[in-house]
Amino acid sequence: MRRLLASIPTLLVLITLAFFMMRIAPGGPFDKERSLLPEIEAAINAAYHLDEPLWQQYLRYMGGLARGDLGPSFQYAGFSVTELIAQGFPVSLTIGLLSMLLALLVGGSAGIWAAMRQNRLGDWSVMTLSMAGISLPSYVIAPLMILLFAVTLHWLPAGGWEQGRYLDMLMPVLALALPQIAYIARLMRGSMIEVLRSNFIRTARAKGLPERQVILRHALKPAMMPILSFLGPTAAGVITGSVVIEQIFGIPGLGRYFVQAAINRDYTLVLGVVIFYGLLIVLFNFLVDLLYGALDPRVRVE
Amino acid sequence: MLSDPLRKRVRHGLACLALVLAWPLQAAGPAGNVLRIGNGAEPQTLDPHKTETVDGSRIVRDLCEGLTNVSPTGQTVPGAAERWQISPDGLEYIFFLRPQARWSNGDPVVAEDFVAGLRRAADPKTGSSYAQMLEPLLNGPEVVTGKKPPEALGVEAVDDHTLLLRLRGPTPYLLGMLSHTTTFPIHRPSFARHGDQFARPGHMVCNGAYMLDQWVVQSHVRLKRNRYYWNNANTHIDTVVFYSTEDVNSELKAYRAGDLDWATGYPAVLTPWIRQNLKGELKMGPYLGISYFGYNVTRPPFKDNLKLRQALSLAIDRDVIVDKVLYTLSIPAYGWIPPGTEGVVPQTPPEAKWTQAQRLALARKLYAEAGYSQDNPAEVEIRYNTSENNKRMAVVVAAMWKQWLGVKSTLANEEWKVFLNTRKLKKKTEVFRSAWIGDYNDATTFLDIMHSTHGQNDTGWGNPRYDALLAMAAAETDAGRRRAMLEEAERILLSELPYIPLTFYVSKNLVKPWVKQWQDNILDYHYSRDMRIEGY
């Protein structure tokens, strides 16, 4: 609890920095190709309090924030930032969680499998594949997948999001998971090899335990530690949405808001997403710490 | 060996899983009487008085209806008004609304709804970026700038079905303008209840052929048939889905996969491939738009330097640009007003008919006369907003200048909003990228933006005679005299050349063969209610 409270100043600094950095960027939310009449521009600025001095706007924003109000979106007239996040987050969360789950299962197993065959053909092939997975960016993989499964084979829709129809999820989840699978496989292999060399594993083997039990009961827990520290920030990043994946598959997630809002100088939406993202990172790091404790009694949180 | 109850449970589970698996496969089949549109960027708002993007307005025109409509071939035809009378001096328009016109909740559409809509659009408090369009109405400029209340606007409900518009001057394009979303009516009770949020699913009451069913931001907007629409009997398509497709590559793939019936965008580089492989599905037509490079005439080297401005313009081979940079998705431009625009015969300078060698000869002569040579080359900066296409254009133009005249060009790119600011300030710019798409089909939508006081005129150019001609044309009732004035204005612009005309736009859409009655028109307006799906 104390740790969670300690993160409040961090978040405040984050919000303040984001607020002022956003305003340093030239151009405003209502600068457009079609220029506005000065009178109309003034009316809009007044409606959004953009005519006030910056410090006053900052206080107004922080006041709203204290009441849980993230303000109206500048870009989507009539929508509040809270509404937009509430609409986009479940989508990103679904895709993100599914792909993290997939990455853990596939990447984890592949890593263990490779560790058990260290420096043999199986190990080399898994590591080569995972290297490919890390180096091939999703903006290459994703369009290729669409070309194959949607345009040529007509098995899956080319993109879109019909209220969580899981056929729509298949390709984005896979595309999002691929690089994570590769990372986790490499991490898992490395830490598993290290753990397998330690004394307590030798003891377990000496006891005559079958290899399966040695791995699952004894080696897995300590080998998970580095993966956990990787998972915290990655999970926060993945479930707040991947811009590239969302753009390519036309998914209404949170990730696109990040980029679109910054381009459009949608100040409140940018801040809203930054705050939300910051909160999630804090939360996930906290969860990871709790999990550390569960896996290793030595680092248990008081 | 599994125990019996467990086995049963497993079998149950598998059956359920199979059902779940099978269901969406069926749902993904033929869509029925649905039109699926790849609509480009997210609409941002469906408020008719606030929408300002091409993509957003496309949706709003399906939802709401103005006094007039545009036919599939681009003619102005009756909309919510079944007929009208124009006073001899052209200053008063009386519209007779269709008595059978209904809002999507069954309420009759009455003249007061149009009065409320026009007043709201003109009120600066609304913040409509198109409010300026209503300036032809009596007291328009004063209302739009807040000097008079919205009630002073020249619009009046004579009775429930008769609407009177009073104008400041004869406005020959008024009827066409009334198909623009800014002039659309508003359902007063739902506006009173929901305020600026009236254009949301569950709130929006509209008078067009369709009503708002669902809006998932960044995904799609779905419309369903409005049973109360006066012409519902002749509306064929039941459901229209507008997908937001920011990524044109994905849009083309979805179109090819059969997930879209009509794609409003695709990657220009693939035009040759599309021509070859999707024969007959690429629809191209003239469109009211010009792409140009503006000169900042308030600073050197272009200030008081007509010859340099002319030389640089002549040295550009527009055929090469259209062919190689734009994949033939444009028409070479030498004038200002796109071909097909009403109100004038667009003017073309003599060089439009010359060979490029002739143009180059004159370009070299003017360049030398302006005092430049190989040893003393002109140094010019081309500034554009960051985008692959803009960069290609700037690189090609700079190369042509270098090759034919020896001009030393530097390229500068800026992020969109930064670029808009720089351009407006006129402190740094020399040559800058720009483009304009007409709001309605009349020459003034192009000529106005070069008026010395217009907010869009980032060249800093001004000519008193030009400004006077526009003012005189606005008050002129005789169509012939008005035409002559506007044509003279365009000739002045061309003779002083504060910009480099590059290309005129063409509309480009990919339409599946089963979408019938989709036709090209110069406004690129296509109402879903005019189309039908056949032989899917």
Side-chain angles (χ1 to χ4, degrees):
Chain A
M1 198 60 216
R2 201 187 305 152
R3 280 191 44 124
L4 279 183
L5 283 177
S7 61
I8 289 178
T10 320
L11 280 174
L12 277 179
V13 171
L14 174 78
I15 298 166
T16 311
L17 272 178
F19 183 94
F20 288 101
M21 273 166 72
M22 210 42 222
R23 299 309 177 94
I24 291 171
F30 303 108
D31 285 341
K32 292 179 182 145
E33 173 92 58
R34 156 180 296 277
S35 54
L36 292 173
L37 284 176
E39 289 82 3
I40 292 175
E41 202 175 348
I44 294 179
N45 283 340
Y48 288 99
H49 305 288
L50 287 174
D51 52 346
E52 295 171 357
L54 202 54
W55 62 268
Q56 208 171 327
Q57 292 183 45
Y58 175 72
L59 290 183
R60 179 184 294 280
Y61 185 79
M62 295 310 266
L65 200 58
R67 291 191 307 273
D69 178 12
L70 293 171
S73 164
F74 290 68
Q75 179 191 353
Y76 297 104
F79 281 94
S80 75
V81 170
T82 317
E83 252 180 307
L84 289 174
I85 292 180
Q87 211 178 76
F89 181 58
V91 178
S92 297
L93 183 71
T94 312
I95 295 212
L97 278 186
L98 285 177
S99 70
M100 283 316 285
L101 205 67
L102 187 69
L104 261 181
L105 283 178
V106 179
S109 331
I112 296 173
W113 194 76
M116 289 164 70
R117 284 161 191 73
Q118 197 192 347
N119 296 335
R120 279 189 281 157
L121 185 66
D123 182 22
W124 288 117
S125 39
V126 168
M127 284 308 104
T128 313
L129 276 178
S130 77
M131 206 53 195
I134 292 174
S135 351
L136 275 176
S138 43
Y139 56 81
V140 172
I141 294 281
L144 283 177
M145 282 166 76
I146 298 181
L147 209 57
L148 179 65
F149 295 114
V151 178
T152 311
L153 297 172
H154 289 281
W155 287 356
L156 295 170
W161 188 260
E162 296 284 344
Q163 290 154 327
R165 194 172 57 157
Y166 72 90
L167 272 183
D168 290 333
M169 296 184 196
L170 223 54
M171 278 200 285
V173 166
L174 203 59
L176 196 55
L178 275 179
Q180 317 295 348
I181 291 178
Y183 269 114
I184 290 179
R186 294 188 77 82
L187 274 176
M188 193 68 191
R189 172 186 176 270
S191 74
M192 186 55 94
I193 285 173
E194 215 176 291
V195 171
L196 284 179
R197 283 196 194 121
S198 51
N199 289 334
F200 72 97
I201 295 294
R202 200 172 305 138
T203 315
R205 280 189 180 137
K207 274 198 302 188
L209 284 179
E211 189 66 11
R212 226 179 79 127
Q213 234 176 19
V214 173
I215 300 274
L216 292 182
R217 174 112 12 114
H218 295 278
L220 190 58
K221 261 194 191 177
M224 283 296 282
M225 301 295 277
I227 294 182
L228 267 190
S229 15
F230 166 77
L231 275 184
T234 311
V238 167
I239 67 170
T240 44
S242 149
V243 185
V244 177
I245 297 289
E246 288 177 5
Q247 191 105 303
I248 291 177
F249 291 104
I251 297 167
L254 212 52
R256 273 155 92 184
Y257 289 147
F258 250 140
V259 176
Q260 284 301 324
I263 290 174
N264 288 310
R265 307 286 191 275
D266 192 340
Y267 300 139
T268 42
L269 187 52
V270 171
L271 279 170
V273 179
V274 165
I275 293 168
F276 189 71
Y277 189 41
L279 270 176
L280 275 179
I281 289 195
V282 167
L283 188 73
F284 273 85
N285 280 335
F286 181 68
L287 283 180
V288 166
D289 285 352
L290 285 186
L291 279 174
Y292 274 147
L295 290 183
D296 185 349
R298 286 171 303 180
V299 290
R300 201 149 285 174
V301 185
E302 312 97 53
Chain B
M1 197 63 191
L2 293 172
S3 66
D4 254 12
L6 185 59
R7 197 187 292 165
K8 207 180 263 175
R9 226 181 291 161
V10 169
R11 211 182 290 151
H12 256 135
L14 282 176
C16 286
L17 191 69
L19 263 179
V20 171
L21 276 169
W23 168 72
L25 280 175
Q26 284 170 353
N33 202 3
V34 179
L35 179 66
R36 297 158 306 166
I37 305 172
N39 196 46
E42 177 70 21
Q44 302 199 348
T45 178
L46 297 176
D47 182 334
H49 305 132
K50 287 189 180 170
T51 181
E52 50 189 18
T53 59
V54 172
D55 322 294
S57 307
R58 194 179 291 122
I59 306 176
V60 174
R61 280 194 300 271
D62 268 357
L63 285 170
C64 314
E65 186 172 71
L67 293 164
T68 63
N69 282 335
V70 174
S71 75
T73 51
Q75 316 305 316
T76 300
V77 293
E82 58 182 352
R83 61 195 173 85
W84 46 81
Q85 282 171 5
I86 307 171
S87 67
D89 59 3
L91 294 180
E92 283 189 358
Y93 283 63
I94 299 174
F95 291 89
F96 301 97
L97 306 189
R98 294 177 196 275
Q100 71 275 35
R102 291 271 180 282
W103 290 95
S104 55
N105 67 350
D107 290 353
V109 176
V110 293
E112 272 300 337
D113 298 329
F114 278 92
V115 174
L118 285 165
R119 282 180 183 164
R120 173 170 186 262
D123 188 345
K125 283 202 204 75
T126 307
S128 165
S129 51
Y130 275 91
Q132 233 177 326
M133 215 174 154
L134 302 176
E135 286 187 347
L137 293 175
L138 193 69
N139 292 327
E142 292 83 0
V143 173
V144 166
T145 54
K147 295 189 184 81
K148 282 189 182 168
E151 290 71 33
L153 196 69
V155 51
E156 187 186 317
V158 178
D159 60 46
D160 271 0
H161 296 290
T162 316
L163 181 78
L164 171 67
L165 295 189
R166 290 204 181 85
L167 308 185
R168 289 164 56 229
T171 311
Y173 55 88
L174 184 84
L175 290 173
M177 201 185 86
L178 293 174
S179 65
H180 194 277
T181 57
T182 309
T183 68
F184 284 2
I186 196 164
H187 183 252
R188 289 164 293 146
S190 54
F191 180 61
R193 197 170 319 132
H194 303 295
D196 280 343
Q197 299 212 336
F198 78 97
R200 297 270 303 265
H203 299 175
M204 192 171 193
V205 175
C206 43
N207 70 329
Y210 295 91
M211 51 201 274
L212 186 55
D213 183 27
Q214 189 188 40
W215 181 3
V216 180
V217 173
Q218 300 275 33
S219 172
H220 62 270
V221 175
R222 194 168 65 209
L223 315 186
K224 61 181 182 199
R225 182 190 278 269
N226 170 12
R227 305 261 162 216
Y228 289 105
Y229 181 57
W230 62 268
N231 206 12
N232 184 40
N234 293 316
T235 304
H236 307 287
I237 291 169
D238 290 324
T239 309
V240 187
V241 191
F242 295 87
Y243 291 97
S244 60
T245 46
E246 275 154 20
D247 184 87
V248 281
N249 284 296
S250 299
E251 182 171 3
L252 178 61
K253 289 202 189 78
Y255 178 82
R256 287 174 60 199
D259 294 349
L260 295 176
D261 304 311
W262 164 20
T264 58
Y266 64 85
V269 260
L270 291 179
T271 309
W273 183 90
I274 286 171
R275 283 234 165 85
Q276 205 159 45
N277 294 282
L278 302 175
K279 277 203 182 78
E281 296 180 29
L282 175 59
K283 316 276 186 190
M284 285 174 47
Y287 184 44
L288 290 179
I290 179 172
S291 155
Y292 63 98
F293 277 172
Y295 288 125
N296 179 358
V297 300
T298 65
R299 291 180 64 224
F302 297 111
K303 190 181 182 193
D304 304 323
N305 201 345
L306 177 61
K307 285 183 174 157
L308 180 63
R309 301 204 295 263
Q310 289 173 326
L312 293 188
S313 175
L314 285 164
I316 295 174
D317 190 338
R318 289 158 179 84
D319 294 322
V320 170
I321 287 183
V322 166
D323 213 38
K324 300 285 186 264
V325 183
L326 300 167
Y327 306 98
T328 70
L329 294 173
S330 281
I331 303 166
Y334 297 92
W336 177 243
I337 298 172
T341 311
E342 284 177 10
V344 294
V345 175
Q347 305 293 297
T348 42
E351 64 264 23
K353 297 187 187 71
W354 296 355
T355 63
Q356 189 57 24
Q358 285 173 302
R359 290 184 204 122
L360 280 178
L362 181 61
R364 290 207 181 93
K365 181 168 164 278
L366 289 167
Y367 187 68
E369 283 174 14
Y372 300 102
S373 63
Q374 280 302 352
D375 304 325
N376 176 29
E379 289 179 24
V380 172
E381 182 208 75
I382 307 176
R383 192 171 282 260
Y384 54 92
N385 55 301
T386 315
S387 106
E388 200 48 45
N389 286 340
N390 292 342
K391 184 175 162 189
R392 282 157 51 89
M393 179 76 98
V395 167
V396 169
V397 166
M400 287 173 177
W401 288 346
K402 172 89 192 152
Q403 184 178 358
W404 305 118
L405 302 175
V407 172
K408 272 185 166 170
S409 313
T410 48
L411 305 189
N413 69 89
E414 283 174 326
E415 188 254 11
W416 175 234
K417 299 245 172 181
V418 183
F419 173 70
L420 284 179
N421 257 356
T422 318
R423 206 170 79 179
K424 193 165 288 298
L425 287 173
K426 307 186 195 66
K427 293 254 165 41
K428 263 198 269 184
T429 46
E430 292 178 2
V431 174
F432 58 86
R433 185 228 144 236
S434 198
W436 186 249
I437 292 174
D439 296 325
Y440 44 87
N441 189 359
D442 186 78
T444 48
T445 187
F446 289 96
L447 293 171
D448 281 351
I449 68 165
M450 281 296 181
H451 190 280
S452 60
T453 60
H454 198 283
Q456 212 66 42
N457 183 355
D458 292 331
T459 63
W461 177 78
N463 178 307
R465 173 74 185 156
Y466 182 90
D467 293 357
L469 280 166
L470 292 188
M472 278 153 59
E476 181 56 62
T477 42
D478 181 82
R481 279 204 293 269
R482 177 178 187 269
R483 170 183 303 251
M485 291 167 187
L486 296 179
E487 288 174 357
E488 189 192 335
E490 189 183 10
R491 282 196 298 275
I492 292 176
L493 186 67
L494 294 183
S495 68
E496 302 206 352
L497 213 64
Y499 75 104
I500 306 174
L502 292 172
T503 58
F504 292 125
Y505 283 176
V506 296
S507 59
K508 39 188 188 291
N509 294 277
L510 283 170
V511 186
K512 292 281 189 192
W514 56 74
V515 180
K516 307 292 181 199
Q517 280 156 21
W518 192 104
Q519 271 181 287
D520 286 322
N521 60 63
I522 194 159
L523 288 162
D524 205 18
Y525 278 14
H526 312 276
Y527 299 87
S528 303
R529 62 164 176 268
D530 292 332
M531 299 174 212
R532 53 171 94 211
I533 307 268
E534 264 172 27
Y536 183 85

